[in-house]
């Protein structure tokens, strides 16, 4: 066995899985609190990438380049995506919170289609070249064969983001309110928690994570279009289900497992079957462990 090639594939899988995990966290946080699959989440990822593309293009024309452009583009994309997440929750989901379960699901799919076509009409359905913003770091020369500078930035940003999210959920006031709302919304209201504000904050945080993922993956692939959110959202949803929907550590684990499985399958068999490996793994996990890798079977109250 070529262990050097295997290590290269594993590095690529971890990078890809980190992006899936970032987006999957948005799915799992929203589902954990209101049991809703936000199918427009992938489009928020796509919008974040497009906002970063526009900001980066403007700054490049004015003479700026490098990491400073990436940082500013990411900040603007995060703010823009947060506003979209808040608006989506306010308009598409909150009015249907007490409606039959199918109604918010249809609303989520409708919001996804609307956002995809909105960006397609406002921009173009064609692929656009995303500017190269991350230059090679000299100190990474020894590992440049396995990981590019962009890959290292992705891993670093993902690690910092996930650590910050863990701290927020476990130790901050809003994080405690999220956990209380997840357990019982009625009791959370009785102890003075503003449940509507908590749910809005959850959508905002999930949208921020999706935007960060959009900027990072666009920097890595070097191109974007209005349809990138569909497959990214589908893969991230798969990662969330793999890990155990509603479970934050599970979303991270599911993203990493999915990314590594895809990369190994593409490297040793064929890249044409990359999606087959991803969804085949999902079917296998659901057969062997329906609640996901870290999920727990929930007893229904009757």
């Amino acid at each position: 066995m070529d262990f050097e090639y295997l290590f290269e594939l594993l590095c690529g899988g971890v990078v890809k899985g980190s992006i899936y995990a970032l987006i999957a966290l948005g799915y799992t946080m929203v589902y954990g609190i209101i049991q809703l699959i936000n199918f427009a989440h992938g489009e928020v990822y796509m919008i974040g990438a497009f906002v970063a593309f526009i900001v980066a293009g403007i700054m490049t024309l004015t003479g700026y380049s490098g990491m400073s452009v990436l940082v500013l583009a990411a900040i603007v994309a995060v703010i823009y995506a947060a506003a979209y997440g808040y608006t989506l929750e306010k308009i598409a989901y909150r009015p249907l919170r007490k409606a039959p379960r199918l109604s918010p699901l249809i609303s989520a799919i409708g919001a996804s289609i609307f956002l995809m076509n909105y960006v397609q009409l406002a921009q173009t359905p064609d692929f656009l070249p995303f500017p190269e913003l991350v230059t090679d770091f000299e100190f990474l020369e020894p590992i440049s064969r396995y990981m590019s500078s962009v890959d290292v930035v992705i891993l670093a940003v993902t690690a910092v983001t996930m650590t910050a999210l863990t701290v927020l959920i476990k130790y901050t006031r809003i994080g405690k309110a999220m956990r209380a709302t997840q357990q019982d919304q009625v009791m959370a209201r009785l102890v003075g928690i503003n449940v509507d504000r908590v749910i809005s904050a959850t959508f905002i945080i999930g949208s921020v994570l999706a935007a960060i993922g959009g900027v990072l993956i666009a920097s890595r692939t070097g191109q974007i279009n209005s349809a990138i959110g569909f497959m990214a959202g589908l893969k991230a949803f798969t990662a969330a289900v793999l890990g155990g929907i509603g479970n934050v550590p599970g979303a991270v684990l599911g993203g990493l497992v999915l990314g590594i499985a895809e990369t190994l399958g593409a490297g040793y068999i064929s890249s044409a079957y990359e999606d087959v490996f991803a969804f085949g793994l999902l079917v296998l996990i659901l057969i062997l462990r329906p609640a996901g890798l870290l999920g727990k079977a929930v007893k229904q109250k009757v």
Side-chain angles (χ1 to χ4, degrees):
M1 178 182 288
D2 189 344
F3 289 101
E4 189 172 354
Y5 180 61
L6 174 62
F7 183 71
E8 183 180 351
L9 290 177
L10 289 175
C11 289
V14 169
V15 172
K16 181 183 286 188
S18 298
I19 297 296
Y20 289 157
L22 273 177
I23 310 172
L25 284 169
Y27 278 112
T28 208
M29 287 175 67
V30 170
Y31 183 85
I33 291 181
I34 60 175
Q35 284 72 56
L36 167 70
I37 302 299
N38 179 17
F39 281 112
H41 192 61
E43 275 55 54
V44 175
Y45 156 92
M46 175 267 295
I47 287 173
F50 262 97
V51 172
F53 168 77
I54 294 170
V55 173
I58 293 173
M59 292 192 68
T60 302
L61 290 176
T62 55
Y64 294 93
S65 61
M67 288 293 293
S68 60
V69 177
L70 179 64
V71 171
L72 181 60
I75 291 173
V76 177
V78 160
I79 295 172
Y80 206 83
Y84 262 93
Y86 175 79
T87 305
L88 273 173
E89 192 276 328
K90 193 89 170 177
I91 296 176
Y93 304 136
R94 185 176 297 185
L96 299 173
R97 199 174 293 166
K98 295 182 180 180
R101 296 290 293 271
L102 189 60
S103 299
L105 179 63
I106 294 173
S107 181
I109 295 173
S112 171
I113 295 172
F114 170 79
L115 290 177
M116 183 188 301
N117 285 275
Y118 158 68
V119 174
Q120 184 174 335
L121 292 172
Q123 299 296 325
T124 173
D126 301 325
F127 276 96
L128 297 172
F130 197 89
E132 185 178 346
L133 302 177
V134 181
T135 56
D136 292 333
F137 302 130
E138 292 183 3
F139 67 91
L140 294 177
E141 186 66 30
I143 63 170
S144 60
R145 181 172 181 178
Y146 307 106
M147 301 180 75
S148 66
S149 297
V150 178
D151 293 341
V152 174
V153 170
I154 288 174
L155 290 178
V157 172
T158 301
V160 171
T161 303
M162 291 180 179
T163 302
L165 178 65
T166 301
V167 171
L168 182 142
I169 292 175
K170 286 190 175 182
Y171 302 110
T172 66
R173 187 173 181 177
I174 184 65
K176 293 176 182 177
M178 286 178 180
R179 286 184 280 137
T181 303
Q182 179 180 15
Q183 291 178 6
D184 194 320
Q185 289 191 25
V186 175
M187 287 301 299
R189 292 182 191 275
L190 289 175
V191 297
I193 295 174
N194 189 328
V195 171
D196 290 337
R197 185 178 299 172
V198 169
I199 293 174
S200 293
T202 304
F203 271 85
I204 289 172
I205 293 170
S207 299
V208 166
L209 295 175
I212 293 173
V215 175
L216 293 176
I217 200 64
S219 301
R220 187 172 190 251
T221 61
Q223 60 181 5
I224 58 172
N225 83 334
S226 58
I228 61 172
F230 174 76
M231 186 53 70
L234 200 57
K235 293 289 185 68
F237 173 66
T238 301
V241 175
L242 275 176
I245 191 73
N247 187 301
V248 172
V252 177
L253 178 61
L256 292 175
V257 169
L258 184 62
I260 291 172
E262 281 189 358
T263 306
L264 291 179
Y268 283 111
I269 302 177
S270 172
S271 59
Y273 295 100
E274 186 176 85
D275 295 339
V276 175
F277 303 135
F279 298 118
L281 177 63
L282 173 63
V283 171
L284 181 63
I285 292 295
L286 289 179
I287 291 174
L288 299 177
R289 189 174 175 83
L293 295 173
L294 298 184
K296 296 179 180 179
V298 179
K299 296 181 180 179
Q300 296 292 333
K301 296 179 181 180
V302 295

